Amino acid sequence: MLLSLAYRLVRCLFGLLAVLVRSDLSKDVELLVLRHENQVLRRQLRGHPRWITPTGSGLRRCPGW
């Protein structure tokens, strides 16, 4: 238990140190990449959802119908 707590504390401190040491350029690049990913996902969601309508033969194959 104590070892687990110490590990988490050290990991958190190293994570904080990594954020503080990173340059502004790397932060800007990461923001640009995240914005691009966000745009791609929004473009994918703009398409119409495809609703699959079950046919009679498809319903007969489903055990719950």
Side-chain angles (χ1 to χ4, degrees):
M1 171 89 177
L2 186 61
L3 185 61
S4 175
L5 182 64
Y7 171 74
R8 287 184 185 185
L9 181 64
V10 169
R11 185 173 175 201
C12 183
L13 289 174
F14 277 126
L16 181 63
L17 182 65
V19 169
L20 292 175
V21 171
R22 280 178 31 181
S23 68
D24 288 337
L25 179 63
S26 66
K27 290 176 188 175
D28 291 342
V29 168
E30 184 178 0
L31 282 175
L32 286 174
V33 169
L34 290 174
R35 286 180 185 162
H36 175 71
E37 287 179 359
N38 201 4
Q39 287 176 353
V40 169
L41 291 174
R42 283 186 182 165
R43 264 188 260 138
Q44 288 176 356
L45 289 177
R46 283 188 192 150
H48 298 290
R50 295 180 186 159
W51 299 104
I52 300 173
T53 57
T55 60
S57 63
L59 286 176
R60 280 184 240 128
R61 291 184 194 147
C62 297
W65 292 91

